[in-house]
Amino acid sequence: MKVLKFGGTSVGSAERMKEVARLVNDGQRKIVVLSAMSGTTNSLVEIANYLYKKNHDGANEVINNLERKYYNEVEALYSKKEYKEKGKQLIKAHFDYIKSFTKDLFTVFEEKTILAQGELISTAMFNYYMHEIGIDSVLLPALDYMRIDKNNEPDPVYIRENLGQLLNQHPKCNMFITQGYICRNAFGEIDNLQRGGSDYSASLVGAAVLADEIQIWTDIDGMHNNDPRYVENTSSIADLSFDEAAELAYFGAKILHPTSVLPAKLSNIPVRLLNTMDPKAPGTLISSKQTKDRITAIAAKDGITAIKIKSGRMLLAYGFLRKVFEIFESYKTPIDMITTSEVGVSVTIDNSRHLDEILDDLKKFGTVEVDTDMVIICVVGDLVGEKKGYAFKIFEALKEIPVRMISYGGSNHNVSLLVHVNDKKDALRALSAKLF
Ligand code: ADP
Ligand code: ASP
Ligand code: MG
């Protein structure tokens, strides 16, 4: 069994959906995980924002534009009258539901329900299309098996058991379709795996069914060696180890959701990144195999806040770092980078929701400085310590760029550097020019 995930652009229009149907229709048993059509989740976020502000006119305008787009796609997707009618009813039902939220109280619960509509619509549309072209596909409702626990972590046992039961109900079926991104939380409410979470869904589903392979189909021919949105002439990487892929995803390579590699890694299931626009391109194979002694790729993670705690008196005392870390822990705020010196310690966080409280608590230990709008630039590869020259090449590339923090040696796979967002593009380009 394979798991194939198609992202927003891959199902972004009726034509693209037809192409996906052609790609998956090879008779082999598979689960197809779909995102919402591109732009949809952004529009749903916009609708929710208007509803929080009780701006019903604003919400209705976005809702009506989106609804119109879907009627056009339905018209273009199906050829038979019966399916055009089914498609229209589907769209009407979902949009009537979305509109019902403009009349009532609006909370996080309603917001998450609205955000789930994109994947619910795309999968139902695609399933009808498969039926129209004569394929007996079965829709597996993600809300019946995908679940996160009280800490917002996926619950693999629940997922495996419930997905397994659903699959067992259709022993003869070869073509399952399911929603990416959406799930239920520990209270049974509709929730999601965060933006871009369909990759995570695919990986969790792949691990739950012990798939032979997980394929992530998107709009580019695999993982590139730098961010193609900022750097020209990047190139696709043929193979990545799970660790390299996890670092790149976590540190900003948008092609993969930050935590989507882990479930595949734990079950040792290869992940292939493929291009819907160029299906013959080899793409990237992510597996346990590590290509030795290379700088593989560069990624950048935005929205970073750096905090420096200076305390001449206490830093060298044992227990000081523990106290600092406990403050971050108590606000459930993960630390990404850390550097130390005799008089201070610097850390970075990407979640600044509790920044003010954290700073208040830290001030008990020393003076505190904060830099916002920072970016972590992450150089990933097999950077074994015995080899000379990696650090030199990286610093040489960045000789014109102010670097706020450097972290090297935490693993063999990563050198992280903190720069201001205004220097991000120059840093990425300079590194590409020097390293590749
Ligand atoms: P999907 O909608 O299919 O999930 P995404 O937009 O989430 O697709 O991810 C694909 C995009 O990720 C590419 O179009 C590309 O612009 C961006 N991207 C950022 N960094 C990288 C990288 N290192 N390699 C490939 N793509 C990257
Ligand atoms: N539709 C969701 C989003 O836009 C999930 C995804 O595409 O992966 O974030
Ligand atoms: Mg994505």
Side-chain angles (χ1 to χ4, degrees), residues 20-131:
V20 171
R22 273 191 289 274
L23 276 172
V24 299
N25 190 15
D26 59 4
Q28 289 180 25
R29 197 155 198 252
K30 58 174 65 68
I31 302 178
V32 177
V33 179
L34 299 184
S35 290
M37 294 177 90
S38 55
T40 301
T41 312
N42 285 347
S43 296
L44 296 171
V45 169
E46 217 182 327
I47 293 165
N49 287 341
Y50 277 128
L51 293 178
Y52 272 122
K53 295 189 183 110
K54 300 202 188 327
N55 180 346
H56 292 166
D57 291 342
N60 280 324
E61 196 182 323
V62 187
I63 295 172
N64 291 335
N65 285 339
L66 194 62
E67 185 174 14
R68 217 169 304 126
K69 168 198 150 72
Y70 273 96
Y71 283 123
N72 289 336
E73 299 301 348
V74 158
E75 189 54 39
L77 182 59
Y78 307 107
S79 353
K80 294 182 185 142
K81 207 166 159 236
E82 175 200 351
Y83 281 93
K84 284 185 195 278
E85 198 45 48
K86 278 189 178 190
K88 277 189 212 151
Q89 277 172 21
L90 172 83
I91 302 305
K92 183 171 184 310
H94 283 277
F95 279 86
D96 283 351
Y97 188 48
I98 295 174
K99 286 173 201 164
S100 74
F101 292 105
T102 60
K103 300 188 180 72
D104 224 336
L105 188 72
F106 200 76
T107 68
V108 211
F109 172 75
E110 280 78 22
E111 178 190 3
K112 293 200 169 144
T113 308
I114 287 194
L115 293 187
Q117 301 308 308
E119 272 72 11
L120 291 170
I121 298 175
S122 65
T123 46
M125 275 172 74
F126 187 73
N127 192 38
Y128 281 155
Y129 178 69
M130 295 303 253
H131 293 175

Side-chain angles (χ1 to χ4, degrees), residues 5-10 35 196 199 217-220 222-229 252-256 298:
K5 175 259 172 177
F6 292 87
T9 350
S10 304
S35 290
D199 304 326
W217 288 80
T218 179
D219 58 2
I220 189 164
M223 179 72 79
H224 277 220
N225 59 4
N226 205 331
D227 193 324
R229 293 168 299 176
K254 192 189 170 221
I255 186 169
L256 282 175
I298 301 157

Side-chain angles (χ1 to χ4, degrees), residues 23 40 42 46 108 132 143 154 204 226 235 268 270 276 296 302 332 340 344-346 397 399 418:
L23 276 172
T40 301
N42 285 347
E46 217 182 327
V108 211
E132 183 178 43
L143 298 180
L204 291 164
N226 205 331
S235 50
N268 197 16
T276 329
T296 313
D302 298 323
K332 292 200 166 135
T340 59
V345 49
S346 280
K399 63 177 188 257
L418 191 73

Side-chain angles (χ1 to χ4, degrees), residues 168-377:
N168 288 341
Q169 289 169 20
H170 306 278
K172 295 214 177 77
C173 177
N174 274 334
M175 179 72 71
F176 294 97
I177 297 163
T178 191
Q179 298 86 18
Y181 179 56
I182 64 174
C183 62
R184 286 192 191 273
N185 60 27
F187 310 103
E189 298 161 350
I190 296 180
D191 211 314
N192 60 63
L193 301 174
Q194 309 292 327
R195 295 303 307 272
S198 296
D199 304 326
Y200 203 13
S201 304
S203 180
L204 291 164
V205 167
V209 303
L210 291 178
D212 311 317
E213 184 170 291
I214 297 162
Q215 298 180 352
I216 308 285
W217 288 80
T218 179
D219 58 2
I220 189 164
D221 55 343
M223 179 72 79
H224 277 220
N225 59 4
N226 205 331
D227 193 324
R229 293 168 299 176
Y230 302 101
V231 181
E232 289 90 46
N233 302 321
T234 56
S235 50
S236 172
I237 305 161
D239 64 278
L240 284 173
S241 67
F242 286 121
D243 291 338
E244 287 175 319
E247 299 263 18
L248 288 168
Y250 186 75
F251 287 107
K254 192 189 170 221
I255 186 169
L256 282 175
H257 174 277
T259 49
S260 59
V261 179
L262 188 64
K265 179 187 163 169
L266 291 177
S267 302
N268 197 16
I269 299 170
V271 179
R272 218 178 269 279
L273 308 180
L274 293 159
N275 188 356
T276 329
M277 317 297 156
D278 183 7
K280 295 226 160 64
T284 300
L285 178 64
I286 303 168
S287 71
S288 54
K289 188 178 139 261
Q290 171 69 57
T291 297
K292 294 284 175 219
D293 190 17
R294 68 166 180 191
I295 292 184
T296 313
I298 301 157
K301 184 172 174 179
D302 298 323
I304 303 294
T305 302
I307 305 167
K308 186 189 282 175
I309 307 116
K310 284 199 286 191
S311 172
R313 191 167 47 91
M314 291 181 77
L315 188 78
L316 286 181
Y318 52 83
F320 176 74
L321 284 176
R322 178 177 53 76
K323 287 184 199 144
V324 168
F325 289 152
E326 269 172 5
I327 294 174
F328 289 89
E329 191 186 340
S330 67
Y331 294 104
K332 292 200 166 135
T333 301
I335 293 171
D336 280 328
M337 265 176 94
I338 164 161
T339 56
T340 59
S341 84
E342 199 149 304
V343 289
V345 49
S346 280
V347 300
T348 70
I349 56 172
D350 69 348
N351 173 357
S352 48
R353 204 176 313 148
H354 298 291
L355 182 62
D356 290 340
E357 295 106 300
I358 290 172
L359 295 179
D360 277 347
D361 287 2
L362 287 173
K363 281 175 189 160
K364 290 173 203 148
F365 299 121
T367 50
V368 179
E369 283 169 28
V370 180
D371 291 312
T372 53
D373 299 323
M374 305 302 285
V375 176
I376 295 177
I377 307 270

